Amino acid sequence: MDHTEGHNPPKFGMTGFLLGVAAVVVTLIQISTFFEPQEQGTGALIGEIAADIRQSAERAMRGEPAPGPEPAGISLGLIVTVGALVVAGIAVILGGIGLYRNEPHRPSYMAVGFGSSAFVLHFAFWLAVLICGIVLLTSIIRNLDGILGN
């Protein structure tokens, strides 16, 4: 007697596909929050940096040691991003297991594709931000004499 009758085996490919889609959606949402208005304006941020530089210079002139760095807290955005990338990795693994177990190939291929897409999307976005930052810094440095007035 066959005990597997009426029992549906787990569908790794389909589960991986759903996780991959979820990872891509969360990654897109996380990237879109990058463009939300910041709590502070750029002028206020530059003013704070200038004040920190002045205080540091005054401490150095008096011979006082510099204070230790403040511990940075873990932000919710970082947790969500890491969680989405972990889910994308699980989607790729489940897609691979589905292919190994000869499940229907389309969901398994899509699981691997969507999981990989979440990684590539995240990497490509930060690469584009890095390139834009370098271009912006280069243009600022080239036009520094015009900004400061010779």
Side-chain angles (χ1 to χ4, degrees), residues 5 26 37 45 107 118 143 147:
E5 217 173 280
V26 169
L45 182 63
N143 296 315
I147 294 171

Side-chain angles (χ1 to χ4, degrees), residues 68-92:
E70 295 179 17
I74 297 176
S75 69
L76 179 64
L78 179 63
I79 293 171
V80 170
T81 301
V82 170
L85 294 177
V86 167
V87 168
I90 292 170
V92 170

Side-chain angles (χ1 to χ4, degrees), residues 48-107:
E48 286 181 12
I49 291 172
D52 285 343
I53 291 172
R54 191 177 115 232
Q55 289 173 354
S56 176
E58 288 174 356
R59 267 194 310 272
M61 292 246 192
R62 290 190 301 249
E64 297 175 1
E70 295 179 17
I74 297 176
S75 69
L76 179 64
L78 179 63
I79 293 171
V80 170
T81 301
V82 170
L85 294 177
V86 167
V87 168
I90 292 170
V92 170
I93 291 170
L94 289 177
I97 291 172
L99 288 171
Y100 177 75
R101 292 185 49 170
N102 290 326
E103 291 180 4
H105 291 292
R106 185 169 291 171

Side-chain angles (χ1 to χ4, degrees), residues 10 15 45 63 79 88 95 103 125 131 134:
T15 305
L45 182 63
I79 293 171
E103 291 180 4
F125 173 74
I131 290 170
I134 290 171

